[in-house]
Amino acid sequence: MWKKLKKLILIIILFNIIFIVWGKFFNPPITITQIGGILEYGKLERDYISYDEMGSLVKKAVIASEDQKFFIHNGFDYDAIEKAMKKNEEGKKLRGGSTISQQTAKNVFLWQGRSYLRKGLEAGYTFIIELIWGKQVILERYLNSIEMGRGVFGVEAASLYYFGKHSKDLSKSEAAWIAVMLPNPKKYDPKNPTSYLRKKHNWVLKQMNNISLP
């Protein structure tokens, strides 16, 4: 029994190593979240594109909105994690301190939801992809796999779905609208924004001026 268990563990570890290395060169064929989108909405709208094909504005907008320290941290923003923990302890609205790297690890390898098991696995994957993939690959995988609407995944599919144009052709304002949906893409709609979304959109537009891409 113990030998079979060890063999199974070794197979799982080997599979993960192969998948992580493979992921440095290719986008995931499908993710658990994308499968969920198919089951819930009966569709999967996505269009994987390369880092260069995305254009600079949507990258700046997403970094401005989600993780302004992306290019300087090691996968974890400890200040953001500490602030999130304090907010949660105070009983205020639950918020996370996840970086783009952590979100990429979750979106590509894991499932949605909150649990200590998933967060632990997420931390492990985050550490590894930071070492093996590097920032550009992480950002490309993130922007290609992130949920952007009901059954819509990735910035290219979202750009075509909401604005009828490729992501590289988005205006600064349109790129910011794409970015502000990310906390709750199933709820938010850039064509019918709430007052909160308008305020965040204006904030992201200003923050984009401070973002530079390497």
Tab-separated table of all heavy atoms in Angstrom, residues 30-48 144-158 161-162 181 184-188:
chain	number	residue	atom	x	y	z
A	30	ILE	N	-6.738	24.128	-21.437
A	30	ILE	CA	-7.978	24.522	-20.772
A	30	ILE	C	-7.705	24.550	-19.269
A	30	ILE	O	-6.776	23.882	-18.789
A	30	ILE	CB	-9.141	23.559	-21.106
A	30	ILE	CG1	-10.482	24.212	-20.787
A	30	ILE	CG2	-8.979	22.225	-20.374
A	30	ILE	CD1	-11.667	23.521	-21.433
A	31	THR	N	-8.475	25.342	-18.539
A	31	THR	CA	-8.301	25.424	-17.089
A	31	THR	C	-9.587	24.984	-16.391
A	31	THR	O	-10.650	24.898	-17.021
A	31	THR	CB	-7.961	26.858	-16.649
A	31	THR	OG1	-9.102	27.711	-16.885
A	31	THR	CG2	-6.760	27.400	-17.414
A	32	ILE	N	-9.483	24.735	-15.101
A	32	ILE	CA	-10.659	24.330	-14.327
A	32	ILE	C	-11.718	25.430	-14.366
A	32	ILE	O	-12.917	25.158	-14.496
A	32	ILE	CB	-10.260	24.016	-12.873
A	32	ILE	CG1	-9.342	22.794	-12.835
A	32	ILE	CG2	-11.499	23.774	-12.013
A	32	ILE	CD1	-8.775	22.483	-11.467
A	33	THR	N	-11.283	26.686	-14.269
A	33	THR	CA	-12.225	27.803	-14.304
A	33	THR	C	-12.915	27.902	-15.661
A	33	THR	O	-14.111	28.202	-15.751
A	33	THR	CB	-11.501	29.129	-13.996
A	33	THR	OG1	-10.803	29.009	-12.758
A	33	THR	CG2	-12.492	30.281	-13.891
A	34	GLN	N	-12.172	27.637	-16.740
A	34	GLN	CA	-12.772	27.673	-18.072
A	34	GLN	C	-13.793	26.549	-18.242
A	34	GLN	O	-14.844	26.735	-18.863
A	34	GLN	CB	-11.683	27.588	-19.130
A	34	GLN	CG	-10.834	28.851	-19.217
A	34	GLN	CD	-9.630	28.701	-20.130
A	34	GLN	OE1	-9.368	27.623	-20.670
A	34	GLN	NE2	-8.880	29.781	-20.293
A	35	ILE	N	-13.488	25.391	-17.691
A	35	ILE	CA	-14.451	24.280	-17.722
A	35	ILE	C	-15.722	24.694	-16.979
A	35	ILE	O	-16.841	24.418	-17.430
A	35	ILE	CB	-13.845	23.013	-17.096
A	35	ILE	CG1	-12.706	22.478	-17.977
A	35	ILE	CG2	-14.917	21.935	-16.908
A	35	ILE	CD1	-11.924	21.343	-17.359
A	36	GLY	N	-15.546	25.394	-15.848
A	36	GLY	CA	-16.690	25.896	-15.094
A	36	GLY	C	-17.522	26.861	-15.912
A	36	GLY	O	-18.761	26.856	-15.841
A	37	GLY	N	-16.850	27.704	-16.712
A	37	GLY	CA	-17.557	28.640	-17.571
A	37	GLY	C	-18.396	27.928	-18.619
A	37	GLY	O	-19.523	28.329	-18.924
A	38	ILE	N	-17.846	26.844	-19.171
A	38	ILE	CA	-18.585	26.053	-20.163
A	38	ILE	C	-19.826	25.434	-19.527
A	38	ILE	O	-20.931	25.477	-20.088
A	38	ILE	CB	-17.688	24.949	-20.750
A	38	ILE	CG1	-16.521	25.556	-21.539
A	38	ILE	CG2	-18.500	24.025	-21.654
A	38	ILE	CD1	-15.491	24.541	-21.991
A	39	LEU	N	-19.655	24.872	-18.331
A	39	LEU	CA	-20.767	24.215	-17.656
A	39	LEU	C	-21.843	25.208	-17.242
A	39	LEU	O	-23.041	24.908	-17.312
A	39	LEU	CB	-20.254	23.456	-16.423
A	39	LEU	CG	-19.314	22.281	-16.693
A	39	LEU	CD1	-18.790	21.701	-15.385
A	39	LEU	CD2	-20.021	21.205	-17.507
A	40	GLU	N	-21.424	26.410	-16.823
A	40	GLU	CA	-22.381	27.391	-16.319
A	40	GLU	C	-23.057	28.189	-17.426
A	40	GLU	O	-24.256	28.465	-17.359
A	40	GLU	CB	-21.676	28.349	-15.352
A	40	GLU	CG	-22.622	29.302	-14.634
A	40	GLU	CD	-21.946	30.099	-13.537
A	40	GLU	OE1	-20.721	29.892	-13.314
A	40	GLU	OE2	-22.623	30.933	-12.899
A	41	TYR	N	-22.280	28.553	-18.455
A	41	TYR	CA	-22.818	29.441	-19.488
A	41	TYR	C	-22.906	28.797	-20.874
A	41	TYR	O	-23.401	29.418	-21.809
A	41	TYR	CB	-21.958	30.710	-19.577
A	41	TYR	CG	-21.875	31.444	-18.256
A	41	TYR	CD1	-20.688	31.475	-17.526
A	41	TYR	CD2	-22.994	32.083	-17.721
A	41	TYR	CE1	-20.612	32.123	-16.310
A	41	TYR	CE2	-22.924	32.737	-16.500
A	41	TYR	CZ	-21.733	32.756	-15.804
A	41	TYR	OH	-21.668	33.405	-14.596
A	42	GLY	N	-22.423	27.583	-20.980
A	42	GLY	CA	-22.536	26.871	-22.243
A	42	GLY	C	-21.670	27.431	-23.342
A	42	GLY	O	-21.955	27.225	-24.535
A	43	LYS	N	-20.597	28.137	-22.980
A	43	LYS	CA	-19.710	28.682	-24.008
A	43	LYS	C	-18.318	28.901	-23.445
A	43	LYS	O	-18.121	28.975	-22.226
A	43	LYS	CB	-20.245	30.013	-24.548
A	43	LYS	CG	-20.270	31.138	-23.522
A	43	LYS	CD	-20.723	32.448	-24.150
A	43	LYS	CE	-20.664	33.597	-23.148
A	43	LYS	NZ	-21.061	34.883	-23.748
A	44	LEU	N	-17.354	28.994	-24.338
A	44	LEU	CA	-15.984	29.323	-23.966
A	44	LEU	C	-15.422	30.249	-25.035
A	44	LEU	O	-15.032	29.796	-26.114
A	44	LEU	CB	-15.125	28.062	-23.847
A	44	LEU	CG	-13.620	28.285	-23.609
A	44	LEU	CD1	-13.386	29.052	-22.313
A	44	LEU	CD2	-12.873	26.955	-23.588
A	45	GLU	N	-15.430	31.538	-24.736
A	45	GLU	CA	-14.886	32.523	-25.663
A	45	GLU	C	-13.496	32.906	-25.184
A	45	GLU	O	-13.343	33.505	-24.115
A	45	GLU	CB	-15.799	33.755	-25.741
A	45	GLU	CG	-17.152	33.460	-26.355
A	45	GLU	CD	-17.954	34.724	-26.636
A	45	GLU	OE1	-17.334	35.798	-26.818
A	45	GLU	OE2	-19.195	34.638	-26.662
A	46	ARG	N	-12.492	32.556	-25.949
A	46	ARG	CA	-11.115	32.892	-25.614
A	46	ARG	C	-10.314	32.926	-26.906
A	46	ARG	O	-10.685	32.300	-27.904
A	46	ARG	CB	-10.509	31.895	-24.636
A	46	ARG	CG	-10.254	30.540	-25.261
A	46	ARG	CD	-9.547	29.581	-24.348
A	46	ARG	NE	-9.144	28.397	-25.080
A	46	ARG	CZ	-8.645	27.305	-24.525
A	46	ARG	NH1	-8.490	27.241	-23.218
A	46	ARG	NH2	-8.281	26.287	-25.269
A	47	ASP	N	-9.234	33.650	-26.880
A	47	ASP	CA	-8.377	33.758	-28.051
A	47	ASP	C	-6.963	34.034	-27.553
A	47	ASP	O	-6.601	35.175	-27.284
A	47	ASP	CB	-8.870	34.887	-28.973
A	47	ASP	CG	-8.181	34.867	-30.325
A	47	ASP	OD1	-7.264	34.040	-30.506
A	47	ASP	OD2	-8.542	35.676	-31.196
A	48	TYR	N	-6.192	32.973	-27.374
A	48	TYR	CA	-4.834	33.140	-26.870
A	48	TYR	C	-3.981	33.906	-27.882
A	48	TYR	O	-3.953	33.571	-29.069
A	48	TYR	CB	-4.191	31.774	-26.632
A	48	TYR	CG	-4.742	31.005	-25.452
A	48	TYR	CD1	-4.663	29.609	-25.419
A	48	TYR	CD2	-5.323	31.648	-24.361
A	48	TYR	CE1	-5.146	28.884	-24.342
A	48	TYR	CE2	-5.805	30.938	-23.283
A	48	TYR	CZ	-5.715	29.557	-23.276
A	48	TYR	OH	-6.193	28.845	-22.206
A	144	ASN	N	-4.122	35.932	-20.781
A	144	ASN	CA	-4.801	35.004	-21.689
A	144	ASN	C	-5.831	34.128	-20.981
A	144	ASN	O	-6.795	33.666	-21.613
A	144	ASN	CB	-3.789	34.101	-22.389
A	144	ASN	CG	-3.263	34.699	-23.675
A	144	ASN	OD1	-3.960	35.431	-24.367
A	144	ASN	ND2	-2.015	34.401	-24.000
A	145	SER	N	-5.660	33.880	-19.695
A	145	SER	CA	-6.513	32.907	-19.006
A	145	SER	C	-7.510	33.521	-18.036
A	145	SER	O	-8.453	32.847	-17.610
A	145	SER	CB	-5.638	31.899	-18.240
A	145	SER	OG	-4.907	32.547	-17.215
A	146	ILE	N	-7.329	34.804	-17.690
A	146	ILE	CA	-8.174	35.415	-16.668
A	146	ILE	C	-9.626	35.499	-17.139
A	146	ILE	O	-9.913	35.779	-18.302
A	146	ILE	CB	-7.648	36.832	-16.315
A	146	ILE	CG1	-8.380	37.403	-15.105
A	146	ILE	CG2	-7.748	37.771	-17.499
A	146	ILE	CD1	-8.022	36.732	-13.824
A	147	GLU	N	-10.554	35.234	-16.207
A	147	GLU	CA	-11.979	35.324	-16.527
A	147	GLU	C	-12.372	36.787	-16.685
A	147	GLU	O	-12.136	37.611	-15.813
A	147	GLU	CB	-12.803	34.667	-15.415
A	147	GLU	CG	-14.271	34.529	-15.745
A	147	GLU	CD	-15.026	33.705	-14.719
A	147	GLU	OE1	-14.527	33.556	-13.581
A	147	GLU	OE2	-16.110	33.202	-15.044
A	148	MET	N	-12.996	37.122	-17.819
A	148	MET	CA	-13.323	38.508	-18.134
A	148	MET	C	-14.818	38.728	-18.348
A	148	MET	O	-15.232	39.801	-18.778
A	148	MET	CB	-12.572	38.948	-19.399
A	148	MET	CG	-11.071	38.887	-19.314
A	148	MET	SD	-10.378	40.026	-18.089
A	148	MET	CE	-11.025	41.588	-18.626
A	149	GLY	N	-15.606	37.749	-18.081
A	149	GLY	CA	-17.047	37.850	-18.273
A	149	GLY	C	-17.662	36.472	-18.206
A	149	GLY	O	-16.983	35.497	-17.881
A	150	ARG	N	-18.925	36.367	-18.501
A	150	ARG	CA	-19.616	35.086	-18.424
A	150	ARG	C	-19.233	34.195	-19.594
A	150	ARG	O	-19.769	34.319	-20.687
A	150	ARG	CB	-21.129	35.319	-18.383
A	150	ARG	CG	-21.548	36.137	-17.176
A	150	ARG	CD	-23.040	36.340	-17.095
A	150	ARG	NE	-23.399	37.060	-15.889
A	150	ARG	CZ	-24.648	37.264	-15.469
A	150	ARG	NH1	-25.655	36.785	-16.188
A	150	ARG	NH2	-24.886	37.940	-14.365
A	151	GLY	N	-18.289	33.309	-19.338
A	151	GLY	CA	-17.794	32.433	-20.386
A	151	GLY	C	-16.764	33.084	-21.286
A	151	GLY	O	-16.401	32.525	-22.320
A	152	VAL	N	-16.270	34.248	-20.887
A	152	VAL	CA	-15.279	34.996	-21.661
A	152	VAL	C	-13.965	35.008	-20.896
A	152	VAL	O	-13.920	35.408	-19.730
A	152	VAL	CB	-15.744	36.444	-21.925
A	152	VAL	CG1	-14.702	37.201	-22.742
A	152	VAL	CG2	-17.091	36.453	-22.638
A	153	PHE	N	-12.881	34.593	-21.565
A	153	PHE	CA	-11.590	34.482	-20.895
A	153	PHE	C	-10.492	35.149	-21.717
A	153	PHE	O	-10.389	34.943	-22.927
A	153	PHE	CB	-11.239	33.010	-20.670
A	153	PHE	CG	-12.145	32.312	-19.704
A	153	PHE	CD1	-13.345	31.765	-20.133
A	153	PHE	CD2	-11.826	32.232	-18.355
A	153	PHE	CE1	-14.190	31.131	-19.247
A	153	PHE	CE2	-12.668	31.600	-17.460
A	153	PHE	CZ	-13.864	31.051	-17.900
A	154	GLY	N	-9.662	35.930	-21.038
A	154	GLY	CA	-8.520	36.567	-21.677
A	154	GLY	C	-8.855	37.940	-22.239
A	154	GLY	O	-9.997	38.231	-22.589
A	155	VAL	N	-7.824	38.783	-22.323
A	155	VAL	CA	-8.049	40.164	-22.751
A	155	VAL	C	-8.417	40.278	-24.228
A	155	VAL	O	-9.134	41.204	-24.615
A	155	VAL	CB	-6.805	41.040	-22.450
A	155	VAL	CG1	-6.595	41.180	-20.957
A	155	VAL	CG2	-5.555	40.480	-23.126
A	156	GLU	N	-7.943	39.356	-25.058
A	156	GLU	CA	-8.277	39.431	-26.481
A	156	GLU	C	-9.763	39.127	-26.700
A	156	GLU	O	-10.459	39.866	-27.402
A	156	GLU	CB	-7.411	38.467	-27.290
A	156	GLU	CG	-7.693	38.453	-28.782
A	156	GLU	CD	-7.238	39.710	-29.506
A	156	GLU	OE1	-6.709	40.643	-28.856
A	156	GLU	OE2	-7.417	39.764	-30.736
A	157	ALA	N	-10.246	38.056	-26.078
A	157	ALA	CA	-11.664	37.708	-26.198
A	157	ALA	C	-12.541	38.803	-25.596
A	157	ALA	O	-13.596	39.140	-26.139
A	157	ALA	CB	-11.937	36.371	-25.518
A	158	ALA	N	-12.091	39.375	-24.476
A	158	ALA	CA	-12.859	40.444	-23.829
A	158	ALA	C	-12.905	41.693	-24.698
A	158	ALA	O	-13.944	42.357	-24.807
A	158	ALA	CB	-12.244	40.777	-22.470
A	161	TYR	N	-15.285	41.002	-27.449
A	161	TYR	CA	-16.650	40.840	-26.933
A	161	TYR	C	-17.272	42.184	-26.558
A	161	TYR	O	-18.431	42.466	-26.895
A	161	TYR	CB	-16.610	39.918	-25.710
A	161	TYR	CG	-17.962	39.620	-25.102
A	161	TYR	CD1	-18.828	38.698	-25.696
A	161	TYR	CD2	-18.372	40.241	-23.925
A	161	TYR	CE1	-20.067	38.413	-25.129
A	161	TYR	CE2	-19.610	39.969	-23.356
A	161	TYR	CZ	-20.446	39.061	-23.962
A	161	TYR	OH	-21.673	38.786	-23.411
A	162	TYR	N	-16.508	43.029	-25.860
A	162	TYR	CA	-17.063	44.285	-25.355
A	162	TYR	C	-16.899	45.467	-26.320
A	162	TYR	O	-17.742	46.361	-26.358
A	162	TYR	CB	-16.420	44.650	-24.012
A	162	TYR	CG	-16.773	43.695	-22.900
A	162	TYR	CD1	-15.826	42.815	-22.389
A	162	TYR	CD2	-18.053	43.650	-22.366
A	162	TYR	CE1	-16.146	41.920	-21.367
A	162	TYR	CE2	-18.390	42.767	-21.350
A	162	TYR	CZ	-17.426	41.903	-20.861
A	162	TYR	OH	-17.763	41.029	-19.857
A	181	MET	N	-12.926	45.381	-14.536
A	181	MET	CA	-13.875	44.275	-14.387
A	181	MET	C	-13.299	43.112	-13.595
A	181	MET	O	-14.040	42.264	-13.091
A	181	MET	CB	-14.299	43.760	-15.764
A	181	MET	CG	-15.151	44.721	-16.563
A	181	MET	SD	-15.862	43.876	-17.990
A	181	MET	CE	-14.380	43.399	-18.882
A	184	ASN	N	-14.640	41.235	-10.308
A	184	ASN	CA	-15.908	40.507	-10.392
A	184	ASN	C	-16.447	40.546	-11.822
A	184	ASN	O	-17.435	41.226	-12.112
A	184	ASN	CB	-16.939	41.116	-9.426
A	184	ASN	CG	-18.092	40.170	-9.143
A	184	ASN	OD1	-18.366	39.266	-9.923
A	184	ASN	ND2	-18.767	40.373	-8.025
A	185	PRO	N	-15.801	39.839	-12.743
A	185	PRO	CA	-16.161	39.925	-14.163
A	185	PRO	C	-17.545	39.387	-14.500
A	185	PRO	O	-18.100	39.716	-15.545
A	185	PRO	CB	-15.064	39.101	-14.855
A	185	PRO	CG	-14.610	38.145	-13.808
A	185	PRO	CD	-14.689	38.898	-12.519
A	186	LYS	N	-18.105	38.559	-13.630
A	186	LYS	CA	-19.449	38.052	-13.885
A	186	LYS	C	-20.511	39.097	-13.551
A	186	LYS	O	-21.631	39.045	-14.049
A	186	LYS	CB	-19.704	36.782	-13.061
A	186	LYS	CG	-18.854	35.594	-13.463
A	186	LYS	CD	-19.158	34.393	-12.598
A	186	LYS	CE	-18.288	33.197	-12.971
A	186	LYS	NZ	-18.563	32.024	-12.103
A	187	LYS	N	-20.143	40.046	-12.698
A	187	LYS	CA	-21.084	41.072	-12.244
A	187	LYS	C	-20.923	42.381	-13.007
A	187	LYS	O	-21.909	43.010	-13.402
A	187	LYS	CB	-20.881	41.311	-10.747
A	187	LYS	CG	-21.720	42.438	-10.171
A	187	LYS	CD	-21.402	42.643	-8.695
A	187	LYS	CE	-22.184	43.825	-8.120
A	187	LYS	NZ	-21.837	44.057	-6.691
A	188	TYR	N	-19.687	42.816	-13.214
A	188	TYR	CA	-19.436	44.118	-13.813
A	188	TYR	C	-19.572	44.076	-15.330
A	188	TYR	O	-19.252	43.079	-15.974
A	188	TYR	CB	-18.039	44.614	-13.449
A	188	TYR	CG	-17.840	44.864	-11.970
A	188	TYR	CD1	-16.616	44.621	-11.359
A	188	TYR	CD2	-18.874	45.352	-11.180
A	188	TYR	CE1	-16.418	44.858	-10.007
A	188	TYR	CE2	-18.694	45.586	-9.822
A	188	TYR	CZ	-17.472	45.332	-9.241
A	188	TYR	OH	-17.288	45.570	-7.911
